[in-house]
Amino acid sequence: MASSVLFITIFSALIFLSTQTLSQHTQLFYPGFNASTNLTLKQYAGIENNGVLRLTNYSPDIIGQAFYATPIQFKNSSTAAHGGSSNGKVFSFSTCFAFCIIPEDDNYVGHGFTFAIVPSKNLSALSQTYLGLFNRKPSTHIFAVEFDTIQTVEVKDIDNNHVGIDLNSLISNVSKHAAYFDDSGQLYNLTLKSGKPVKAWIDYDSREFTLNVTISPFYSKPRKPLLSYRVDLSSIFNENMYIGFTASTGILAHSSHYILGWSFAINGKARDLELSSLPLPKQRKTGAKISLSVYLSVTAASFFAISVFAFGIHFLRKHKKSNEIELWELQMGPHRYSYRELKKGTRNFSEKEILGFGGSGKVYRGTLPISKTEIAVKRIFHNSKQGLREFVTEIATIGRLRHRNLVQLLGWCRRGQDLLIVYEYMANGSLDNYLFDDPKTILNWEQRSKVIKGVASALLYLHEGYKQVVIHRDVKASNVLLDGELNGRLGDFGLAKVYDHGSVPVTTRVVGTLGYLAPELPRTGKSTTSSDVYAFGALMLEVVCGRRPVEVKALPEEMTLVDWVWDKYREGRLLAVVDPKLRGDYDEVEAAMVLKLGVMCSNNEPKQRPSMRQIVQCLNGEIGVADEWKAPDGGSNGGAVGDFVVSFTSLSIT
Ligand SMILES: *[C@@H]1O[C@H](CO)[C@@H](O)[C@H](O)[C@H]1NC(C)=O
Ligand SMILES: *[C@@H]1O[C@H](CO)[C@@H](O)[C@H](O)[C@H]1NC(C)=O
Ligand SMILES: *[C@@H]1O[C@H](CO)[C@@H](O)[C@H](O)[C@H]1NC(C)=O
Ligand SMILES: *[C@@H]1O[C@H](CO)[C@@H](O)[C@H](O)[C@H]1NC(C)=O
Ligand SMILES: *[C@@H]1O[C@H](CO)[C@@H](O)[C@H](O)[C@H]1NC(C)=O
Ligand SMILES: *[C@@H]1O[C@H](CO)[C@@H](O)[C@H](O)[C@H]1NC(C)=O
Ligand SMILES: *[C@@H]1O[C@H](CO)[C@@H](O)[C@H](O)[C@H]1NC(C)=O
C-alpha cells in the first residue's frame, strides 16, 4: 500500500517535470503571430504570411484549433489538501485578444469560435454544431467563452450573435447578445460576423470568484463588462491546462475565423493590444463566387433551395461531364462521398440491402468501407428534373439543420444521373412498421409518447428554431424513423420548403400524402406551418390508435380516423379509440391529451390549429389542452363538429 502511494507520487512528479509547466507568472504576448510562435495548430488552423492566426478558412464543415504548445499551471497542488488536481484554488487569469469573423455571404454564415481552456490538446471535436471544441458526449474540465454566430436550439442558444460562458457544455451558463457599454452605461449592439476586428477581454478574479467577459470594436476596454458571472472554477480546472482557440464552420457555411493578436497572464493583467498595430486578414478575392452571390441575391425573395437548384441546372447545362466536380456541388457543404465507396458499402446497391422505397427513391443499408459506420443511402430515381430538385433541396435544407430528432444527413454523392444522399443509419426502421398491420414489435405507451414528443420538438425546431422557416410537407409515420434508443427522428426532406421568417409562402404544386394533407392545401396551394401541424395531428392520432388516418377496409363510420375519434369523444368514450394492441396498459390522462391535441390539429380551419410551440408545451405538461384552445364556436370542446367532420371525405387530390 505504502509503496504504491510512493510509486504514484514519484510517477506524478515525473509527469509533472516532463510537461514543462510554465510558472504561475506566465505572460504571453502576441501582437500578431509568426512561425516561431509556440502554438500547436490543428486541422485548418494556420498562421498566414501577414501574421494573422487563421482558425478556419472559407470551407464548410471544418474545424480549426490553436493551443499554446505547453500547458499553463492554473493551480498550486502543494497548497491543496492531498495534491490532487480536483481541488485547490484556480489562479486569477486574464486574457485579451482581437478577432475577426468574415462571412462569405449572409446566406452562408458559419458557426462561431471559442476561447477555450482544456485539459488536453487532443480534443475529439465535431465540426458542426460544436464550435470545434465538443462532440456529442458530455465533457468535463472544459472552460470556454463562445462567440457564436448561429442559433443552435439543441444547446439553447439565445440568438445568432451572442457571447456565452460555457462550463463543460455548449449549453451556456450565461450568455448575452453581443454588445458593449460606453462610459455612460449606454449599451450598443455589436455584430460578431461583421468582418471587422473586435477586441475581447476575459478576466477571472479568484478572490471574488468573478469571471468577466467584455467586447468592444474599439481599442479601450469598456468599464462595464458584457458578462459578469460569479463562479468558482476550481472543480472545472485541472492543475495544468492548455489555452487556445477553437472554431468550426458547419455544413454549407462559408465563413472564416481569425485571431489578430493575443495576450494572456496568470495572476496579473494581460498586456493590452493596440488594434491599429495588429495585422488584418486579407479580404477574400471573389472570382467565381460572385456569380453565386449575385444569383442568390437576385433570388433572395425566393427560396434558397430553388436558387441552388437553378444554379445546379445552370451548371449541369454547361458541364455535361458527369464526374467533374462542379462549382455548385462544392457549394453544398456536407461531405461528398466517392461513388466507389458507396457502391462498395451497399454491396453494389444490392436488392438485399434495400431498407425501403420513398416517393423519390430507394433507400439502401450500407457500411462505409473504412470506418465501418453503418449508413443509409437514398438513391434518387434518375432522369427526372424533379429528382435533382429534391436532391438539392434536401442537401441544402436538412444538411444545415441540427436537431436530435432529425435524421442526420451525413453527405452525398453524385455521379452522372445517380444522385445519392447518405444518412445516419436508423437501427429500428420507420415508425409505420410498429403501428399497422400486425406489427412484429409493438411499442408500449412510454415509447409512443417519447416518439410523439421527439417529433414535435423536431417540428418546432423546423418552424421556429432555425434562421428560416422550414416546412417539411410530408410528415407521416413512414417518414419518422426510430434510432437505436427508439427516439423518433423525422427524415425525408425531399419535399421541404424553406422561406424567411415573416414572409408569405408562395403557391406551389400540392404535395403530400393523402390523410395527412391539410384540406386547405388543394384550394390555396400554400404550404404553411399549420399544414405541417395538420399532418402532425394525423400522426399523433395514428400513434395512439395504431391505425392509419384513412383505413379503406374499415367500417364506413370508422374509415376516417379523426372523425371516428371525434365521434367517440362526443359519446364520452374517447379512450375506446386507443390501440387495442396496448391491452389497456397506458397512461389514460396522457393518451386523452394527445388525442385531443390530434383532433385540434385536424381542424379544417388553419387558424384554429395550435402552433407547434403550443403542442410542445402541452405535451410537456406546461399548459393544459382544454383551457388553452376552445372549440371554434367559442364553447368548450363541445360544438366543433361541423368544422372537422368534412375533413377527409371532401378531400380529393391528384
Ligand atoms: C515572431 O513573434 C515573436 C513574438 O511575437 C517576436 O518576438 C519575433 O520577433 C517574431 N519573429 C519574426 C521573424 O517576426
Ligand atoms: C517558444 O518556446 C521555447 C521553448 O519552450 C522558448 O525558448 C521560446 O522563447 C518560445 N517562443 C516564444 C515566441 O514564446
Ligand atoms: C505552491 O505553494 C507552495 C506552498 O504554499 C509554495 O511554496 C510554492 O512556491 C508554490 N508553487 C507555485 C508554483 O506557485
Ligand atoms: C493524440 O491523438 C493522436 C492521434 O489520435 C495520438 O497518436 C496521440 O498519442 C494522442 N496524444 C495524447 C497526448 O493523447
Ligand atoms: C454551469 O456550470 C456548472 C459548473 O460550475 C455546471 O455544472 C452546470 O451544469 C452549468 N449550468 C448550466 C445551466 O449550464
Ligand atoms: C440589440 O439586439 C437585441 C437582440 O437582437 C435587440 O432586442 C435590441 O433591440 C438591439 N438594440 C439596439 C439598440 O439595437
Ligand atoms: C468584473 O466586473 C465587475 C462589475 O463591473 C467589477 O466590479 C469587477 O471588478 C470585475 N472583475 C474583474 C476580474 O474584472
Side-chain angles (χ1 to χ4, degrees):
M1 188 63 193
S3 68
S4 71
V5 170
L6 181 66
F7 172 74
I8 289 171
T9 315
I10 293 173
F11 189 67
S12 29
L14 284 176
I15 289 186
F16 178 75
L17 289 176
S18 68
T19 51
Q20 294 176 7
T21 316
L22 295 163
S23 88
Q24 72 190 73
H25 295 289
T26 310
Q27 273 275 2
L28 303 181
F29 182 61
Y30 296 127
F33 302 84
N34 63 35
S36 66
T37 316
N38 286 337
L39 293 178
T40 306
L41 302 170
K42 299 211 162 183
Q43 308 234 22
Y44 278 78
I47 290 168
E48 312 232 303
N49 291 338
N50 60 357
V52 168
L53 169 60
R54 176 193 72 233
L55 294 173
T56 64
N57 65 11
Y58 292 88
S59 310
D61 214 5
I62 59 167
I63 310 184
Q65 298 171 337
F67 293 109
Y68 188 69
T70 45
I72 305 273
Q73 186 179 2
F74 276 95
K75 285 177 179 179
N76 184 347
S77 60
S78 54
T79 58
H82 288 289
S85 57
S86 58
N87 280 306
K89 215 166 168 182
V90 170
F91 302 141
S92 294
F93 63 85
S94 151
T95 189
C96 170
F97 53 88
F99 67 87
C100 202
I101 302 177
I102 308 184
E104 183 168 60
D105 181 312
D106 274 348
N107 290 303
Y108 294 105
V109 179
H111 291 272
F113 77 97
T114 73
F115 169 75
I117 303 183
V118 294
S120 154
K121 287 186 281 186
N122 258 12
L123 297 172
S124 62
L126 288 174
S127 61
Q128 294 133 19
T129 318
Y130 306 90
L131 301 176
L133 179 60
F134 289 96
N135 54 35
R136 291 200 184 87
K137 298 197 196 81
S139 305
T140 52
H141 302 302
I142 293 196
F143 166 94
V145 175
E146 65 171 51
F147 299 81
D148 198 355
T149 47
I150 283 191
Q151 180 171 23
T152 308
V153 172
E154 194 184 333
V155 297
K156 306 195 167 82
D157 280 349
I158 50 166
D159 60 22
N160 62 2
N161 185 55
H162 60 271
V163 179
I165 294 170
D166 301 342
L167 303 174
N168 293 341
S169 153
L170 271 188
I171 300 175
S172 302
N173 283 63
V174 54
S175 68
K176 282 204 179 135
H177 187 80
Y180 61 98
F181 291 95
D182 71 6
D183 284 348
S184 66
Q186 170 83 33
L187 188 71
Y188 297 91
N189 282 346
L190 188 158
T191 305
L192 296 174
K193 50 169 195 259
S194 64
K196 301 204 181 82
V198 177
K199 255 175 105 173
W201 296 261
I202 299 166
D203 301 284
Y204 178 65
D205 181 337
S206 66
R207 280 160 310 165
E208 305 277 328
F209 296 120
T210 49
L211 177 67
N212 290 351
V213 181
T214 314
I215 54 172
S216 166
F218 304 119
Y219 165 74
S220 57
K221 181 176 175 182
R223 262 187 245 151
K224 192 171 171 195
L226 173 65
L227 297 172
S228 187
Y229 184 56
R230 263 189 80 82
V231 61
D232 179 359
L233 294 175
S234 51
S235 65
I236 306 286
F237 280 53
N238 289 337
E239 177 159 358
N240 298 312
M241 302 281 276
Y242 290 90
I243 58 175
F245 301 91
T246 71
S248 70
T249 52
I251 277 181
L252 277 178
H254 297 238
S255 52
S256 51
H257 306 85
Y258 298 99
I259 306 295
L260 316 179
W262 179 29
S263 66
F264 179 87
I266 290 277
N267 288 330
K269 195 164 170 287
R271 275 181 70 179
D272 212 349
L273 296 161
E274 183 74 58
L275 262 189
S276 60
S277 69
L278 298 179
L280 284 175
K282 282 198 209 80
Q283 294 291 332
R284 195 159 201 234
K285 276 192 241 99
T286 40
K289 293 282 159 45
I290 284 176
S291 60
L292 179 66
S293 44
V294 168
Y295 213 96
L296 284 177
S297 53
V298 167
T299 55
S302 164
F303 304 124
F304 166 73
I306 287 182
S307 64
V308 175
F309 159 66
F311 201 73
I313 290 287
H314 171 73
F315 265 84
L316 276 182
R317 290 216 185 100
K318 277 189 124 178
H319 305 266
K320 276 270 159 65
K321 272 181 246 150
S322 60
N323 266 325
E324 200 172 304
I325 297 176
E326 288 152 1
L327 184 57
W328 72 274
E329 293 179 316
L330 289 175
Q331 301 296 339
M332 304 197 328
H335 184 74
R336 184 175 197 254
Y337 289 93
S338 78
Y339 188 77
R340 263 193 26 222
E341 189 176 15
L342 299 182
K343 191 171 160 186
K344 190 167 167 212
T346 55
R347 298 198 285 154
N348 202 8
F349 300 106
S350 156
E351 296 289 310
K352 288 199 192 106
E353 302 292 334
I354 290 182
L355 291 169
F357 297 84
S360 53
K362 290 182 192 169
V363 181
Y364 298 83
R365 173 205 179 110
T367 311
L368 288 176
I370 296 165
S371 65
K372 303 291 175 221
T373 313
E374 281 194 294
I375 51 171
V377 181
K378 181 160 95 175
R379 190 181 202 187
I380 294 173
F381 295 135
H382 5 196
N383 61 35
S384 68
K385 269 193 184 173
Q386 187 61 23
L388 181 62
R389 200 196 73 81
E390 288 181 7
F391 177 69
V392 177
T393 307
E394 185 148 3
I395 292 171
T397 311
I398 195 180
R400 310 179 102 204
L401 301 172
R402 289 288 167 278
H403 190 278
R404 65 185 168 286
N405 293 105
L406 296 178
V407 177
Q408 186 65 53
L409 187 148
L410 300 175
W412 58 283
C413 168
R414 173 171 160 254
R415 198 179 79 160
Q417 297 280 311
D418 237 345
L419 308 174
L420 305 167
I421 304 185
V422 181
Y423 305 91
E424 267 179 295
Y425 176 67
M426 292 289 121
N428 285 308
S430 61
L431 177 63
D432 53 339
N433 295 327
Y434 294 81
L435 295 177
F436 318 129
D437 312 323
D438 297 321
K440 273 193 231 102
T441 314
I442 290 156
L443 298 180
N444 66 27
W445 178 256
E446 285 72 36
Q447 290 162 335
R448 294 184 198 211
S449 165
K450 185 164 90 166
V451 168
I452 290 173
K453 287 174 185 161
V455 176
S457 80
L459 276 168
L460 173 59
Y461 168 70
L462 296 181
H463 291 176
E464 297 184 25
Y466 185 58
K467 66 178 172 138
Q468 284 166 304
V469 181
V470 180
I471 312 286
H472 185 280
R473 303 211 299 170
D474 205 11
V475 176
K476 58 179 174 183
S478 57
N479 284 340
V480 171
L481 295 148
L482 302 179
D483 65 17
E485 278 124 38
L486 292 173
N487 292 303
R489 313 251 301 231
L490 191 56
D492 206 332
F493 278 65
L495 298 177
K497 283 271 174 240
V498 185
Y499 58 85
D500 291 333
H501 286 280
S503 67
V504 180
V506 298
T507 306
T508 50
R509 193 171 59 94
V510 175
V511 293
T513 304
L514 187 67
Y516 299 88
L517 207 56
E520 73 275 10
L521 269 177
R523 183 162 37 88
T524 65
K526 290 188 171 90
S527 300
T528 60
T529 51
S530 69
S531 52
D532 269 359
V533 165
Y534 185 93
F536 181 67
L539 179 78
M540 283 194 282
L541 294 180
E542 60 188 350
V543 172
V544 179
C545 305
R547 51 155 284 190
R548 297 192 170 83
V550 182
E551 197 76 82
V552 189
K553 285 175 274 177
L555 298 170
E557 64 272 24
E558 294 185 8
M559 200 170 100
T560 310
L561 181 55
V562 64
D563 294 348
W564 181 53
V565 174
W566 180 252
D567 285 345
K568 293 292 169 207
Y569 175 65
R570 279 197 309 167
E571 288 169 23
R573 303 193 326 113
L574 180 60
L575 294 178
V577 302
V578 175
D579 190 352
K581 294 190 285 297
L582 286 168
R583 297 170 190 275
D585 186 7
Y586 60 92
D587 179 334
E588 294 190 358
V589 175
E590 199 180 18
M593 182 257 290
V594 176
L595 286 169
K596 282 187 199 169
L597 268 181
V599 169
M600 286 173 176
C601 294
S602 307
N603 197 306
N604 269 1
E605 182 53 56
K607 288 203 178 64
Q608 298 293 339
R609 294 174 205 147
S611 68
M612 278 320 298
R613 180 171 296 277
Q614 289 170 310
I615 293 169
V616 167
Q617 285 175 323
C618 222
L619 291 171
N620 292 340
E622 290 161 25
I623 55 176
V625 188
D627 302 344
E628 283 300 316
W629 304 303
K630 301 234 155 59
D633 67 353
S636 57
N637 284 311
V641 212
D643 272 285
F644 48 81
V645 169
V646 215
S647 52
F648 294 95
T649 31
S650 61
L651 188 69
S652 67
I653 181 77
T654 46

